[in-house]
Amino acid sequence: MASVAGHFMQFHPVHGKNVRLDASGTQATRVESFANGVCFSKNPLAPGEIFLIEIQDKEQGWCGHLRIGLTAKDPRSLEVVPEYSLPDLVDLGNSWVFAITRNHNKVLEDPSEEGRSTEENRPRMFFTDSHLYIESVSIPRDKLVGRSRPGRFSHILDDLYKTNVLPPTARRSRIGVTYVPRGAGLADMHIVINGEDMGPSAKGIPTQQPLYAVVDVFAATKSVSIVQVEYGFSSLQTLCRKVIQKHIVHRMALDWLDLPPLLKHYCKYE
């Protein structure tokens, strides 16, 4: 099973002209128009490492949504950041981008590929209590699923995120990109939406060059923020949160527990 060290994720300082990053470099907002919102990860991704973002804000009146993928182009090498990830960045070569839609984001396998059936060809993906496994890659599932803002009906909304009933383009939805090594210097790109793998959205990606994540804050998607995923041993803070959340019906039940206010806030929002 592939092992990932993980590091603090940020957006690259090179980005589309309509993007503004916050002081931490973890939130990207398109401040005008519907385009020129292309962003990159600050560092290349390791095999099996997920670049996970959460949709923070939307803007009505535009057609289209977030686009996400990978590029082998170092953002610093771009004379001008393309206006669109699709088709502009992809047309430059060595870039693979997937457009997220309200529905139909799963990739259908070609039954004739390599003479095997669709079922035989489908990547092995399953959940345990702690991880999502895609072939040789394991991703901690603790942060993969979006959650509603704490409120009266948050327990209902949280279940809709968990079961992927809400559109993936909804606020608070979490979408990530990773790549799974396939041998011979090649890999497949996978999109994960609220904890569910959508299948290999691009195959045979060469891995000789570093691969950066691409996030296009496009059209109806107005603002996104990076969700930090913990690999290896969880921090003591995270372990405490997991123990508390495991023994309550829903995080809003924290209001009735005799816990310090700061701990309640952390367990509600993380």
Side-chain angles (χ1 to χ4, degrees), residues 190-212:
H190 285 251
I191 307 299
V192 177
I193 298 178
N194 288 317
E196 184 179 357
D197 172 41
M198 296 293 109
S201 51
K203 293 184 175 183
I205 295 175
T207 58
Q208 289 83 0
Q209 292 180 282
L211 293 172
Y212 294 81

Side-chain angles (χ1 to χ4, degrees), residues 36-106:
N36 285 299
V38 176
C39 304
F40 306 95
S41 59
K42 186 175 182 179
N43 299 301
L45 301 185
E49 185 175 30
I50 190 168
F51 191 81
L52 183 66
I53 59 97
E54 180 177 283
I55 298 175
Q56 294 295 333
D57 198 10
K58 300 185 67 178
E59 187 171 52
Q60 303 301 318
W62 301 115
C63 181
H65 302 275
L66 178 83
R67 294 161 174 187
I68 191 167
L70 299 169
T71 182
K73 292 189 173 297
D74 187 329
R76 295 169 297 182
S77 69
L78 297 172
E79 293 184 13
V80 178
V81 176
E83 185 176 8
Y84 307 100
S85 59
L86 283 172
D88 298 7
L89 179 64
V90 171
D91 284 348
L92 294 177
N94 293 322
S95 298
W96 305 265
V97 178
F98 189 84
I100 303 299
T101 64
R102 287 177 56 86
N103 303 291
H104 310 301
N105 291 293
K106 279 201 169 183

Side-chain angles (χ1 to χ4, degrees), residues 244 254-268:
I244 292 171
L254 288 162
D255 291 335
W256 287 274
L257 297 181
D258 185 19
L259 294 172
L262 285 177
L263 182 56
K264 286 185 181 182
H265 184 275
Y266 176 71
C267 291
K268 277 186 182 181

